[in-house]
Amino acid sequence: MTEADWFVALPKVELHAHLNGSIRDSTLLELARDLGEKGIIVFSDVEPVILKDDRSLLEVFKLFDLIHILTTDHKTVTRITKEVVEDFAAENVVYLEIRTTPKTNNSKGMSKQSYMEAVLEGLKSVSTVAVVFSHGVNEKNPFNSDVINNPSSETQEKKIFVRLLLSIDRRETTEAAMETVKLALDMRHLGVVGIDLSGNPVIGKWDTFLPALEFAKTQGLSITLHCGEVPNPEEIHAMLDFQPRRIGHACCFGDGEWKKLKSLNIPVEICLTSNIKTNTISSLDIHHFADLYKWKHPLVICTDDFGVFSTTLSDEYNMASSAFGLTKRDMFELSRNAIDFIFADDGVKRELQEIFASTERKLGL
Ligand code: IMP
Ligand code: ZN
């Protein structure tokens, strides 16, 4: 088995993946070509933007505005959800939390709720793998089995657990953020387990989102926050004081912020390629992964936006192993430890532990 194949075979847990950042380039180009033919955009202007490799953090948000023009109708949301899950499953991601910002688009008759229904439709239409996206039977969940898509019989052997996080975009108002939290609560029986705060980190104020996040927390939703993507000590301290269950990135922390993070033991979602390509961290030799790993701080390797940054979770593990001198055993343990930080319940955690135990020997460990 080649090195790259070994990292594909390694069972993996993905906890930080934005739906619209995880679209295949080929799909984006197809959607752009379609809109170009309808005269809505000029394809030749858009093609180089989609194919550009390195982008600053600000350019990334411009690209997202373009992606949202291409993707915001129900059929496309369903299609990209299906493809994203199939792509993760193909590289042996066994548990996936997809996060996405519910969107309103009056011209397409789309509400935040119908957007999420289109996402669920995408989960149900996955055909290459069994998708387990809600657990247990209750009065709101009439399914007597937790596998509710319909894979073909040859693929039924393979399964992926999927849970959903609803993102609040930093451009949103308190009311809009609250609407997202209420939607998450209504959709809990369909596999929605938490809330994410994301979007352009230089836009919006923490106090705007706090009421909705507090409400989500008191209702038992799990929270993860994009934290410290730009230097903003006041906001970073306020976010850590909130005590989310996880944070993403933690790139621009000073000594005081590291001290607080470590004493609170909040797990960090690390996205190496995303940090390097957006130049949030200038090179892997100075990436905070090394220090956090050395101190056994809880962390999990993730992709962020595998389409936008042209990466895969297997590549991220492979890269971390070479950049930080970690053995295959270390990488297996790192991947397995991520089970502790998932937002799904203990039943799922137990099943994941079994999957890891049963593949350990096959991986030559
Ligand atoms: P969506 O929520 O499925 O539309 O995924 C794309 C959205 O995720 C973007 O518009 C941003 O709001 C958010 N996002 C993706 N990558 C990043 C990041 O690196 N930092 C902050 N927000 C991000
Ligand atoms: Zn992110």
Side-chain angles (χ1 to χ4, degrees), residues 10-166:
L10 174 69
K12 291 170 291 291
V13 168
E14 170 62 84
L15 301 184
H16 187 138
H18 299 268
L19 179 63
N20 278 286
S22 306
I23 306 174
R24 301 171 187 162
D25 273 354
S26 58
T27 298
L28 271 186
L29 288 171
E30 189 188 319
L31 295 169
R33 215 170 273 124
D34 253 22
L35 289 195
E37 276 161 20
K38 288 180 188 142
I40 299 169
I41 59 167
V42 179
F43 179 69
S44 56
D45 289 352
V46 166
E47 188 183 22
V49 182
I50 294 174
L51 295 177
K52 189 169 183 226
D53 194 26
D54 284 13
R55 301 178 176 89
S56 70
L57 198 55
L58 290 185
E59 282 174 327
V60 164
F61 291 106
K62 285 198 193 124
L63 176 63
F64 279 122
D65 288 341
L66 168 66
I67 291 177
H68 290 144
I69 294 171
L70 302 178
T71 60
T72 309
D73 67 78
H74 295 109
K75 204 171 101 231
T76 309
V77 171
T78 297
R79 170 184 175 177
I80 60 180
T81 307
K82 173 184 189 289
E83 290 180 355
V84 167
V85 174
E86 290 183 349
D87 287 352
F88 274 120
E91 57 156 339
N92 286 309
V93 170
V94 290
Y95 176 91
L96 165 64
E97 282 175 18
I98 305 181
R99 55 186 76 191
T100 192
T101 321
K103 295 167 188 75
T104 307
N105 181 350
N106 291 337
S107 68
K108 298 276 159 52
M110 180 183 279
S111 63
K112 285 189 174 188
Q113 177 163 348
S114 71
Y115 175 92
M116 286 312 301
E117 282 162 1
V119 169
L120 287 167
E121 227 12 75
L123 296 185
K124 288 183 203 165
S125 54
V126 167
S127 60
T128 58
V129 60
V131 180
V132 185
F133 66 93
S134 73
H135 214 63
V137 185
N138 58 41
E139 82 272 16
K140 277 189 154 177
N141 181 5
F143 307 105
N144 57 8
S145 154
D146 51 15
V147 180
I148 56 181
N149 69 326
N150 207 1
S152 62
S153 50
E154 317 91 78
T155 54
Q156 229 151 16
E157 288 289 290
K158 195 169 159 151
K159 72 176 171 184
I160 181 169
F161 292 89
V162 180
R163 292 294 183 273
L164 299 170
L165 309 181
L166 304 199

Side-chain angles (χ1 to χ4, degrees), residues 227-228 230-241 247 250-266 268 291-292 297:
C227 179
V230 291
N232 185 347
E234 204 184 316
E235 181 179 273
I236 294 170
H237 278 283
M239 285 183 166
L240 295 176
D241 289 338
I247 60 165
C251 294
C252 304
F253 275 36
D255 292 346
E257 289 94 281
W258 284 129
K259 205 164 156 224
K260 188 176 275 186
L261 176 79
K262 287 177 181 169
S263 72
L264 291 166
N265 214 33
I266 298 171
V268 182
D291 178 69
L292 292 174
H297 186 88

Side-chain angles (χ1 to χ4, degrees), residues 16 18 99 198 226 229 249 271 304-305:
H16 187 138
H18 299 268
R99 55 186 76 191
S198 54
H226 281 66
E229 281 180 283
H249 298 304
C271 311
D304 207 8
D305 301 288

